[in-house]
Amino acid sequence: MNCPLEKVSLLPDIQFYVVGFGWEKSDDDNLHYVPFITDSRKKYEFFREMSMLIYIPLNQHIFGPPLGVTSIEFLQMGRYVIRNASFPHTLFAKDYNDIKEIISTMRTIKESNIEGSDYYIKKYNYNVFKNSIEKLLEGIKCARGNRN
């Protein structure tokens, strides 16, 4: 997807934060560059201020569109996510015009992304991971037992 950052000036009343590029100034008052936030508390404080995530990874042309932990974190918090690859309870955008249309539509929606949050709870919660790891470890144990 070609989504040039210059186009944020066409949506001056929306603040855009580009994460992972360090603190830099922009010519646009509504475009901010932020470094990766590794401290979990600071990251969630920052995320709580956001209403939506636009997730368009730069390396997708090499690896294909990744899921992205940040997408999952935003779903967990009941936030909306715009992606350039299909994923449950996120909004798909193939280009800048799609993003602009989604943002225009989302301005009227005041509810959280409850479906996205519920999806996270069912698919990515602690018990799901714990059970998966226990099954994996049991499989390893069985495989080792068969060799002896």
Side-chain angles (χ1 to χ4, degrees):
M1 172 194 301
N2 184 10
C3 184
L5 292 175
E6 303 88 56
K7 294 200 175 191
V8 300
S9 62
L10 300 175
L11 299 165
D13 60 321
I14 297 175
Q15 298 299 308
F16 291 89
Y17 294 86
V18 179
V19 178
F21 288 94
W23 295 105
E24 292 182 28
K25 296 230 179 216
S26 166
D27 292 337
D28 294 300
D29 291 336
N30 64 331
L31 178 60
H32 315 277
Y33 294 95
V34 180
F36 282 111
I37 303 168
T38 55
D39 181 285
S40 294
R41 282 198 170 103
K42 288 181 182 177
K43 180 168 48 171
Y44 282 104
E45 287 172 16
F46 180 73
F47 286 174
R48 271 195 290 267
E49 298 298 318
M50 307 298 128
S51 58
M52 180 182 300
L53 170 70
I54 301 173
Y55 186 77
I56 303 175
L58 297 176
N59 62 354
Q60 69 184 5
H61 64 283
I62 299 169
F63 303 110
L67 171 59
V69 172
T70 306
S71 293
I72 298 295
E73 291 168 328
F74 265 71
L75 287 175
Q76 173 193 8
M77 296 182 345
R79 301 295 198 268
Y80 291 93
V81 178
I82 299 173
R83 293 176 44 91
N84 61 336
S86 181
F87 189 76
H89 308 290
T90 64
L91 306 161
F92 175 76
K94 66 181 177 305
D95 57 25
Y96 167 76
N97 290 326
D98 286 352
I99 292 172
K100 187 175 177 184
E101 185 177 322
I102 290 169
I103 289 172
S104 294
T105 301
M106 296 307 295
R107 288 176 191 248
T108 63
I109 296 175
K110 302 297 180 205
E111 303 85 31
S112 295
N113 184 358
I114 300 302
E115 293 84 7
S117 184
D118 287 347
Y119 178 79
Y120 164 83
I121 289 168
K122 290 176 187 159
K123 183 103 173 151
Y124 295 99
N125 68 61
Y126 169 79
N127 288 327
V128 170
F129 282 119
K130 179 179 172 253
N131 291 339
S132 295
I133 290 171
E134 287 173 351
K135 285 179 186 176
L136 175 69
L137 292 175
E138 187 61 34
I140 291 170
K141 181 179 171 185
C142 289
R144 283 189 167 181
N146 290 339
R147 282 192 289 180
N148 292 333

